[in-house]
């Protein structure tokens, strides 16, 4: 009577030993035995979608609809596939139908919120998170997303109340988010008390320990921060001592900093970590050539050089050797092909060197390893728009970045710039203004706003916007802004 379960078990075993084709065939047999098996149907549909055979995937999902709550899972996946094909309107319809089929199934609510966030429609996204919290009031993801949106909407008191609720759930994310928010509100005692409360439950959590040390430093609790860094080092090598050395030197305690470095070199003479510490020691004293030499020595004693690569790229850049930074980043990628940050850094230096095609490939490689890495999404979108002249290809990347980081004015500016390049000036203006609402000091965004207003024929407003751009200290396009002002 349970033959379908045997097919599923056999298919899972085949997949585990790399026999993917055989596994899929076995799962098809499993579905024939048990057509109502949602897990098998979704697995087969996912495989078809991975091969971009969306028609087959949709057919599999539609055939599984039976008129009960299980339809919610299938309709949610149908919405996901439609959204992947750029059919956003149909995707919204599928997600709404999934909510009706299974009112307590969270996925379609979050998917609708993501679509709203891509459009910076904060109110609609907020409604979806509230809907989840109506039947799952302790859902930390919904609480944190709601708080983030309330903060963007300048509703700080409401955001704080939501974060207090997330903290009361007892999750690591809740403690961290509340502590960070207190810090942003400049309430240092509350921020520190929150993180210390969290560490009672999560005593070895490095993110919380790092937050505690940062708050201690800012509160002038020098010895307290050193003690926290020492505790971090016990949890994971390299997590605390580099910060200890940097802080000691910043406070003119060279002898104590040197003692930490020498102790590590004595304990682990063949470890690249001791050379990394020595590099930090020299860098904090602005002895950059000596810091770089220490890293090069570390590379010679061990193949485990990932942290050294990162530091070498940074130091070469600080010394003005961007060509060498590019070379080191290339070596970093060759030896650590699965490090998405390595591909991103390589892309940055390739872009600076004017090698646009290689930069594009590096950003894509980064996103293959981490499709939600916002800096790569943002840089690639800007590259397509500004350097390659293909804003249509940039649009889904920029919208994805805004979905993931709706409170980041830089990604809002990029999406606005994409719409500007597509001659959708009203939409561009909407995103530039959202970026300015979050950070009014960004000169380039004021300049982009002025260009857009000029295109819309609003010269008086354009003059005011370009003047704000010129008054900003961080304007990078000053010459272009001055030329725009003259033309107006």
């Amino acid at each position: 009577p349970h033959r379908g379960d045997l097919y599923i078990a056999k298919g899972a075993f085949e997949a585990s030993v790399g026999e993917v084709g055989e596994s899929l065939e076995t799962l098809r047999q499993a579905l024939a035995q048990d057509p109502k098996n949602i897990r098998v149907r979704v697995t087969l549909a996912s495989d078809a979608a991975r091969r971009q055979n969306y028609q087959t995937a949709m057919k599999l999902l539609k055939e599984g609809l039976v008129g009960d709550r299980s339809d919610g899972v299938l309709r949610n996946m149908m919405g996901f596939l439609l959204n992947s094909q750029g059919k956003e309107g149909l995707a919204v319809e599928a997600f709404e139908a999934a909510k009706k089929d299974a009112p307590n199934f969270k996925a379609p609510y979050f998917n609708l919120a993501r679509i709203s966030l891509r459009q910076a429609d904060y109110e609609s996204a907020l409604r979806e998170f509230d809907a989840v919290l109506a039947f799952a009031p302790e859902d930390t993801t919904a609480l944190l997303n709601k708080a983030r949106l309330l903060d963007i909407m300048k509703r700080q008191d409401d955001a704080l109340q939501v974060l207090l609720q997330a903290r009361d759930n007892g999750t690591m994310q809740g403690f961290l988010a509340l502590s960070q928010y207190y810090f942003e509100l400049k309430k240092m005692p509350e921020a520190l008390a929150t993180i210390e409360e969290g560490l009672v439950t999560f005593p070895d959590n490095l993110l919380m320990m790092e937050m505690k040390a940062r708050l201690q430093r800012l509160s002038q609790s020098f010895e307290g921060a050193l003690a926290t860094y020492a505790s971090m080092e016990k949890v994971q090598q390299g997590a605390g001592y580099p910060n200890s050395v940097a802080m000691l030197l910043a406070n003119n305690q060279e002898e104590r900093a040197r003692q930490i470095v020498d102790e590590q070199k004595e304990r682990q003479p063949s470890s690249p970590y001791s050379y990394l510490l020595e590099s930090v020691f020299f860098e904090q004293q602005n002895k950059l050539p000596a810091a770089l030499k220490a890293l090069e020595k570390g590379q010679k004693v061990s193949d485990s050089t990932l942290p050294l690569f990162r530091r070498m790229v940074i130091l070469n850049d600080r010394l003005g050797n961007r060509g060498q930074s590019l070379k080191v980043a290339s070596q970093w990628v060759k030896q650590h092909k699965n490090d998405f940050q390595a591909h991103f850094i390589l892309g940055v230096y390739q872009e600076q060197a004017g090698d646009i095609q290689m930069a594009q490939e590096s950003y894509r490689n980064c996103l293959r390893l981490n499709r939600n890495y916002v800096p790569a999404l943002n840089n690639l979108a800007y590259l397509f728009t500004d350097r390659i002249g293909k804003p249509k290809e940039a649009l889904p990347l920029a919208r994805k970045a805004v979905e993931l980081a709706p409170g980041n004015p830089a990604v809002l500016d990029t999406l606005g710039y994409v719409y500007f390049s597509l001659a959708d000036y009203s939409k561009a203006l909407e995103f530039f203004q959202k970026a300015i609402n979050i950070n009014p000091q960004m000169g380039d965004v004021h300049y982009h706003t002025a260009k857009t207003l000029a295109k819309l024929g609003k010269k008086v407003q354009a003059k005011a916007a370009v003047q704000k751009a010129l008054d900003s200290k961080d304007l990078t396009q000053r010459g272009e802004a001055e030329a725009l002002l003259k033309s107006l």
Side-chain angles (χ1 to χ4, degrees):
H2 301 293
R3 186 180 296 178
D5 292 343
L6 292 176
Y7 278 106
I8 294 170
K10 181 171 181 283
F13 173 76
E14 288 166 336
S16 73
V17 294
E19 297 175 0
V20 178
E22 292 85 344
S23 172
L24 291 170
E25 181 56 37
T26 300
L27 290 177
R28 291 187 190 99
Q29 293 172 335
L31 193 61
Q33 291 287 326
D34 183 7
K36 292 184 179 181
N37 193 303
I38 298 296
R39 185 160 61 95
V40 174
R41 191 172 291 278
V42 167
T43 300
L44 289 170
S46 297
D47 176 72
R50 181 180 58 80
R51 291 182 280 107
Q52 297 188 337
N53 192 343
Y54 295 112
Q55 188 174 356
T56 298
M58 292 293 286
K59 183 173 182 290
L60 277 163
L61 296 170
K62 288 178 180 177
E63 288 174 349
L65 298 174
V66 293
D68 63 19
R69 291 173 59 85
S70 66
D71 288 359
V73 175
L74 299 177
R75 291 192 197 277
N76 179 70
M77 187 168 182
M78 289 163 66
F80 181 81
L81 295 179
L82 289 164
N83 198 35
S84 300
Q85 299 171 76
K87 299 175 181 179
E88 199 167 274
L90 292 174
V92 169
E93 291 179 11
F95 291 137
E96 291 289 357
K99 286 163 56 176
K100 290 178 182 177
D101 291 329
N104 292 349
F105 180 42
K106 299 175 187 177
Y109 296 91
F110 283 112
N111 284 324
L112 284 167
R114 291 187 187 102
I115 289 175
S116 296
L117 288 174
R118 279 183 224 147
Q119 302 164 353
D121 182 355
Y122 305 137
E123 291 286 356
S124 295
L126 194 60
R127 282 195 293 273
E128 298 300 333
F129 294 132
D130 277 334
V132 171
L133 292 168
F135 63 82
E138 295 186 353
D139 188 285
T140 301
T141 302
L143 287 167
L144 296 185
N145 276 289
K146 179 180 179 178
R148 177 176 63 164
L149 290 180
L150 289 169
D151 181 62
I152 292 170
M153 297 161 71
K154 309 297 183 185
R155 293 168 56 183
Q156 278 81 9
D157 289 343
D158 291 336
L160 182 57
Q161 289 304 310
V162 173
L163 289 173
L164 285 166
Q165 186 179 345
R167 184 274 316 271
D168 291 343
N169 288 345
T171 65
M172 178 268 291
Q173 296 92 334
F175 283 112
L176 271 173
L178 179 59
S179 179
Q180 178 65 33
Y181 201 59
Y182 274 134
F183 168 70
E184 291 170 7
L185 296 174
K186 297 181 170 41
K187 295 184 177 181
M188 300 297 288
E190 291 89 342
L192 189 55
T194 299
I195 213 70
E196 287 178 338
E197 182 185 352
L199 282 167
V200 173
T201 307
F202 305 97
D204 293 333
N205 185 278
L206 286 171
L207 287 174
M208 299 181 80
M209 296 169 85
E210 185 177 3
M211 183 69 176
K212 178 181 177 180
R214 179 158 65 110
L215 292 169
Q216 288 171 319
R217 289 179 67 170
L218 293 169
S219 302
Q220 305 300 311
S221 178
F222 184 76
E223 294 298 332
L226 283 176
T228 301
Y229 286 137
S231 298
M232 291 171 66
E233 192 70 23
K234 291 177 182 177
V235 175
Q236 180 180 307
Q237 186 184 63
Y241 282 159
N243 288 311
S244 297
V245 169
M247 189 172 70
L248 286 165
L249 288 169
N251 287 272
N252 300 313
Q253 296 201 31
E254 182 178 340
E255 187 175 339
R256 288 179 70 183
R258 183 79 252 184
Q259 184 180 353
I260 292 174
V261 175
D262 289 343
E263 284 177 357
Q264 289 303 309
K265 289 182 73 173
E266 186 176 336
R267 288 178 190 168
Q268 305 179 71
S270 298
S271 169
Y273 176 54
S274 59
Y275 291 96
L276 176 65
L277 272 181
E278 189 170 45
S279 175
V280 172
F281 179 83
F282 287 127
E283 184 182 359
Q284 292 300 312
Q285 296 174 306
N286 208 31
K287 298 176 181 178
L288 301 187
L292 189 58
K293 189 174 182 180
L295 293 176
E296 290 168 350
K297 287 181 180 177
Q299 276 192 312
K300 293 176 181 177
V301 300
S302 174
D303 292 332
S304 179
T305 54
L306 184 56
L308 302 185
F309 274 123
R310 292 192 180 108
R311 299 303 308 164
M312 288 179 75
V313 170
I314 293 168
L315 284 173
N316 275 298
D317 193 289
R318 288 188 62 190
L319 285 164
N321 301 330
R322 287 193 170 176
Q324 186 62 22
S325 287
L326 176 58
K327 183 179 178 181
V328 173
S330 298
Q331 293 174 336
W332 180 2
V333 167
K334 285 178 182 176
Q335 293 193 28
H336 301 278
K337 292 180 180 179
N338 292 325
D339 186 339
F340 70 91
Q341 288 186 330
H343 289 282
F344 174 73
I345 294 296
L346 179 59
V348 169
Y349 283 100
Q350 288 167 332
E351 185 177 353
Q352 290 176 355
D355 195 341
I356 303 305
Q357 287 302 119
M358 292 304 296
Q360 177 187 337
E361 184 61 28
S362 291
Y363 291 143
R364 286 196 181 281
N365 287 336
C366 172
L367 292 170
R368 287 187 189 102
L369 295 165
N370 184 350
R371 63 181 181 177
N372 291 334
Y373 192 54
V374 171
L377 288 165
N378 191 61
N379 281 22
L380 187 55
Y382 197 84
L383 195 71
F384 270 126
T385 304
D386 194 59
R387 305 294 292 275
I388 300 176
K390 293 182 178 180
K392 284 186 178 180
E393 293 189 37
L395 185 57
L397 297 164
R399 294 185 73 199
K400 180 72 171 177
V402 169
E403 171 197 325
L404 294 165
N408 186 328
V411 300
L412 289 165
D413 176 48
T414 297
L415 182 53
Y417 187 61
V418 173
Y419 279 122
F420 178 89
S421 301
L422 290 168
D424 190 343
Y425 302 122
S426 296
K427 200 75 173 174
L429 187 61
E430 176 187 340
F431 284 96
F432 291 144
Q433 289 176 338
K434 286 182 184 294
I436 289 169
N437 288 341
I438 295 170
N439 184 356
Q441 309 304 319
M442 295 180 71
D444 286 341
V445 185
H446 284 294
Y447 168 60
H448 293 157
T449 302
K451 283 177 66 178
T452 307
L453 289 165
K455 288 286 187 181
L456 291 168
K458 299 179 179 181
K459 287 191 175 183
V460 174
Q461 292 170 270
K463 281 184 181 179
V466 78
Q467 192 57 59
K468 287 181 180 178
L470 291 167
D471 291 342
S472 173
K473 294 179 181 179
D474 67 353
L475 177 64
T476 63
Q477 298 171 294
R478 190 165 295 278
E480 294 93 330
E482 289 171 349
L484 176 61
L485 184 60
K486 287 180 182 179
S487 72
L488 294 168

